[in-house]
Amino acid sequence: MKKWVPITSGLLAGFIAATISFANFSSNPKSETASASNKSDAEKVYVPFGQKDDYYMFASGGHSGQMFIYGVPSMRKIRTIPVFSPDSATGYGFDEHSKKLMGGYTWGDLHHPAFSETNGDYNGKWMFATDVGNSRAAVVDLKTFTTKDIIKVPNTAGPHCAAFVTENTEYMFLPTRFAVPLGQKYESLDDYSSKYRGVMSAVTFNEKNVKLNIAYQVALPPWSYDLSDAGKKGSKDWAVMTTYNTEEATTTMEVNASQADRDYIVLFNWKELEKMVKEGKYENVGGQKMIFPEKQKGGIYLVPVAKSPHGVDVTPDGKYFIASGKLAPAMTVFSFEKAFKAVQNKDFAGERNGIPILKYESVMEREVNPENALGPLHTQFDDKGMAYTTMFISSEIVKWDPKTGKTLDRVPVQYSPGHSVAAEGDTVSPDGKWLVALNKLAKDTYLSVGPSHPESMQLIDISGKMKVIQSAPVDPEPHYAQMIKADKIKTIEVYPKDPKNKDAVYEQKDTKIVRKGNEVHVYGIAMRSRFVFDAKSKRPDVIEVNQGDHVFIHLTNIDFDEDITHGFAINDYNLNMEVQPGQTNTMEFTADKAGTFPLYCTNFCSALHQEMNGYFLVKPKK
Ligand code: RUQ
Ligand code: CUA
């Protein structure tokens, strides 16, 4: 392996600062923006009233814990889906179901959205995501654009490298950024190398009951796992992930995790891991089936790679995986076929933590080093198999050919792109139409909002010579996004009646308030433009309880009309939820405050929306 011109971490900060300010002056954002006012470019992104965008883009909302939906090419934001954090607008995290999903957490760090796949193509049914902040995984239903299940992933800390799914959504693998002792028990950092682990979890999704489940875990060495990708076609049983801090540094990572000249890509065969689990080759750790690679051998290999790689991406044909250098100014193309041969021939260069290391020369296809391109992070593809790599430090997208290594085109972006996303650009059949650079810094791009700015997404036409033609702020933070053809997503217009749902009432006459001890269950409806909690009552829109009662308000929206959503809030009780057309939702709380509290609809629903209110009366304890 070549020794890279060392961009050691000591130098890195200054280097990044210098190159960013260099980018500031060297590329002129004004002229780039001006080019977008060119009439034919403007027409390309203009989606006239009455027409719709060709693509949905699902962007990670980072530490907002949410996911943002944009239309492409207009770059108009359509929706926010709350996933890992509560949302006052929709009542997500307030109603009973979503409160349970949140598991008591009030924030999340959502990275890397991943669509469900069939034969390596997005199937438009589900969207997965992980929470680096509190180690969770979630699934969003694309019929309703709502979060349906969240699981806490034990034994792990920070599943940053996920989510990515296998070709037929058999698994979503969650390797982690942080190594911790199994079970996150206390262990001295002096025992880091022996007691800490970087655990990867294999998560399955059951479409029928809409539940995520941990199938097994692997206790990998105590390194940081960075980005990952699943194989495709001929490599579909395999997956790859990058590592850093194979130095096993426990402090001042910035310097100490970049000492060694090389780190590794972990290459694993999930079919073999699955087999091990079937054969009982695992140990039980906190209720999880844990594979220890030093004891249960096979299925996992290390491929040496230039120090501290960040992204790793599998080409659409499934033949190569491309590691991006981060600290080395190069992309390395590895061949799956060569790797399979090396595995077969036991072409090893020793092992670490019981995991065989494949010989670099035996697996490497080519090193690609576009002139002056610095800080390669992530790669997307077009319909011809060409690669588009983000250059964080030199603030540009470089188009190149994985088969020859030749640089084909490059375009400056503002500034410091992390990921980019091409139309279906990580599937087996990318569309080759649009690419969006997901930039970490917007600087002077938008109207100023003070010292902190939103991040920026720049739309690039890649049908010919790359050209930036539109941009949109995203706040925060586009760790990754995926772009899917709009017609693949089939949403429902209203929630259908559910006769099996015991909480639902669909007729005014069936509404009632039932008391069981100190538990009060309200079976009510919301309709234009009133609440009915008990049709037989003198005041059907009033709920009266005693202080200390445990209250369940089951509310069904019986307006089976697209877009007629009602809200339900109780003034000064810090409660709000939403019922979408046909939907039943439950709010559960203790009426601990005595007094008179107006309740009202929070979502403007009709000319008489303002009249859609009532009272929540709480009789004080004697
Ligand atoms: S990582 S900017 Cu969170 Cu996707 Cu590379
Ligand atoms: Cu219902 Cu406003």
Side-chain angles (χ1 to χ4, degrees):
M1 184 193 315
K2 228 192 268 173
K3 280 221 168 178
W4 299 110
V5 187
I7 309 170
T8 59
S9 285
L11 290 172
L12 186 67
F15 189 56
I16 291 176
T19 42
I20 287 173
S21 54
F22 172 74
N24 248 332
F25 295 109
S26 70
S27 56
N28 181 347
K30 294 280 159 8
S31 71
E32 217 36 66
T33 326
S35 75
S37 64
N38 167 317
K39 188 160 169 281
S40 66
D41 288 344
E43 272 169 7
K44 279 187 203 154
V45 297
Y46 179 61
V47 179
F49 184 72
Q51 289 181 24
K52 287 172 191 159
D53 280 296
D54 297 332
Y55 290 92
Y56 285 97
M57 176 168 62
F58 286 63
S60 128
H63 40 297
S64 76
Q66 303 170 329
M67 202 179 289
F68 305 132
I69 317 302
Y70 285 77
V72 174
S74 76
M75 300 298 281
R76 291 189 288 228
K77 188 177 168 196
I78 305 170
R79 171 123 293 185
T80 296
I81 306 176
V83 181
F84 294 118
S85 53
D87 176 48
S88 141
T90 53
Y92 182 81
F94 294 79
D95 66 73
E96 194 199 12
H97 171 73
S98 58
K99 203 159 65 183
K100 262 191 207 138
L101 285 186
M102 301 276 302
Y105 295 100
T106 54
W107 83 287
D109 188 7
L110 190 152
H111 285 235
H112 308 123
F115 285 117
S116 53
E117 295 184 7
T118 304
N119 298 325
D121 266 319
Y122 303 151
N123 62 24
K125 289 187 182 163
W126 310 97
M127 171 52 93
F128 305 99
T130 54
D131 167 20
V132 179
N134 291 310
S135 307
R136 292 175 290 171
V139 58
V140 170
D141 186 345
L142 299 182
K143 287 199 294 296
T144 55
F145 282 53
T146 54
T147 305
K148 279 296 160 72
D149 194 28
I150 295 180
I151 50 163
K152 175 85 183 145
V153 188
N155 294 324
T156 70
H160 168 249
C161 351
F164 66 106
V165 302
T166 53
E167 248 194 18
N168 286 297
T169 323
E170 293 95 341
Y171 289 99
M172 164 167 66
F173 292 105
L174 273 56
T176 58
R177 173 172 169 187
F178 310 108
V180 289
L182 294 178
Q184 264 181 294
K185 292 189 308 262
Y186 170 82
E187 291 289 355
S188 164
L189 279 160
D190 292 337
D191 301 325
Y192 185 83
S193 293
S194 60
K195 299 271 172 65
Y196 285 58
R197 292 284 185 152
V199 170
M200 179 188 79
S201 311
V203 174
T204 54
F205 174 59
N206 182 333
E207 262 189 309
K208 286 213 185 85
N209 63 11
V210 197
K211 288 270 178 256
L212 296 162
N213 176 53
I214 302 166
Y216 60 89
Q217 298 186 313
V218 184
L220 292 166
W223 306 337
S224 290
Y225 298 86
D226 217 348
L227 261 283
S228 325
D229 201 2
K232 300 179 172 90
K233 298 182 174 173
S235 56
K236 69 175 169 28
D237 299 346
W238 296 76
V240 280
M241 56 201 174
T242 58
T243 65
Y244 61 101
N245 195 26
T246 56
E247 293 88 345
E248 301 178 11
T250 55
T251 182
T252 335
M253 290 273 287
E254 183 198 10
V255 177
N256 294 328
S258 312
Q259 294 302 311
D261 220 33
R262 62 179 62 183
D263 286 289
Y264 303 101
I265 286 177
V266 181
L267 170 74
F268 65 95
N269 182 308
W270 55 265
K271 280 268 167 78
E272 278 190 42
L273 298 181
E274 198 177 63
K275 214 173 102 208
M276 276 186 208
V277 173
K278 270 198 198 117
E279 291 167 356
K281 292 182 183 156
Y282 59 81
E283 287 170 33
N284 191 315
V285 176
Q288 301 299 323
K289 300 176 173 127
M290 185 77 70
I291 297 175
F292 289 83
E294 70 272 31
K295 294 182 213 160
Q296 289 101 18
K297 300 251 180 192
I300 308 177
Y301 305 90
L302 301 174
V303 180
V305 63
K307 73 159 67 175
S308 301
H310 184 54
V312 60
D313 297 282
V314 175
T315 53
D317 59 13
K319 290 192 173 148
Y320 306 103
F321 51 103
I322 298 167
S324 294
K326 185 167 81 179
L327 298 187
M331 291 79 81
T332 314
V333 182
F334 295 95
S335 155
F336 271 111
E337 213 180 282
K338 287 185 179 176
F340 300 159
K341 247 185 228 143
V343 167
Q344 217 170 32
N345 301 337
K346 299 212 162 55
D347 193 5
F348 301 150
E351 57 168 48
R352 274 198 70 176
N353 303 55
I355 308 174
I357 303 170
L358 303 179
K359 278 205 196 103
Y360 178 76
E361 296 73 21
S362 309
V363 184
M364 194 270 291
E365 186 75 24
R366 66 178 50 84
E367 292 166 351
V368 181
N369 191 356
E371 204 181 338
N372 297 328
L374 294 170
L377 292 187
H378 299 284
T379 299
Q380 293 274 298
F381 302 93
D382 69 12
D383 51 338
K384 298 179 183 73
M386 296 305 123
Y388 296 77
T389 302
T390 47
M391 298 291 163
F392 181 82
I393 297 175
S394 55
S395 282
E396 59 179 331
I397 308 283
V398 173
K399 174 181 176 181
W400 56 285
D401 186 344
K403 294 210 167 68
T404 61
K406 222 178 119 196
T407 302
L408 302 172
D409 195 7
R410 47 211 292 180
V411 68
V413 293
Q414 286 73 37
Y415 303 91
S416 302
H419 288 261
S420 75
V421 51
E424 311 216 343
D426 62 4
T427 68
V428 292
S429 59
D431 285 6
K433 279 196 183 141
W434 302 108
L435 180 101
V436 175
L438 306 167
N439 306 323
K440 297 297 189 190
L441 298 167
K443 294 213 173 192
D444 49 3
T445 308
Y446 307 108
L447 289 174
S448 174
V449 286
S452 172
H453 300 208
E455 281 74 43
S456 95
M457 304 194 293
Q458 284 175 298
L459 179 72
I460 300 168
D461 182 354
I462 56 168
S463 57
K465 184 164 172 47
M466 279 195 286
K467 194 170 186 191
V468 176
I469 60 174
Q470 177 71 304
S471 102
V474 52
D475 193 16
E477 172 172 346
H479 290 285
Y480 185 40
Q482 284 186 331
M483 211 193 291
I484 186 173
K485 276 189 209 76
D487 60 11
K488 280 192 180 174
I489 291 186
K490 310 265 186 264
T491 53
I492 56 168
E493 287 182 5
V494 300
Y495 283 88
K497 276 191 189 174
D498 180 2
K500 277 191 278 185
N501 185 347
K502 287 195 203 81
D503 296 337
V505 278
Y506 296 106
E507 308 265 356
Q508 286 195 57
K509 65 173 176 42
D510 296 331
T511 55
K512 60 187 172 191
I513 298 178
V514 183
R515 173 177 284 281
K516 294 179 208 150
N518 72 339
E519 233 179 69
V520 178
H521 282 264
V522 178
Y523 297 89
I525 61 174
M527 59 191 280
R528 275 166 293 180
S529 301
R530 75 179 84 117
F531 292 109
V532 182
F533 304 117
D534 181 358
K536 288 172 252 2
S537 155
K538 178 165 76 172
R539 296 188 183 90
D541 48 9
V542 170
I543 303 171
E544 190 162 333
V545 301
N546 299 320
Q547 189 177 14
D549 277 347
H550 199 62
V551 183
F552 295 80
I553 298 172
H554 311 287
L555 194 64
T556 302
N557 178 350
I558 61 163
D559 283 319
F560 287 88
D561 244 337
E562 197 175 3
D563 200 25
I564 304 300
T565 295
H566 298 288
F568 174 82
I570 301 177
N571 179 266
D572 211 30
Y573 248 87
N574 195 32
L575 293 172
N576 179 45
M577 70 174 177
E578 187 179 87
V579 273
Q580 295 183 5
Q583 190 186 26
T584 303
N585 227 341
T586 296
M587 188 177 271
E588 178 193 347
F589 62 100
T590 302
D592 43 16
K593 258 189 293 192
T596 301
F597 307 94
L599 57 87
Y600 72 107
C601 171
T602 41
N603 202 77
F604 211 104
C605 51
S606 74
L608 295 172
H609 156 81
Q610 210 62 2
E611 278 75 8
M612 192 164 170
N613 51 27
Y615 281 99
F616 181 63
L617 299 169
V618 185
K619 249 189 248 161
K621 267 197 191 125
K622 290 259 163 58

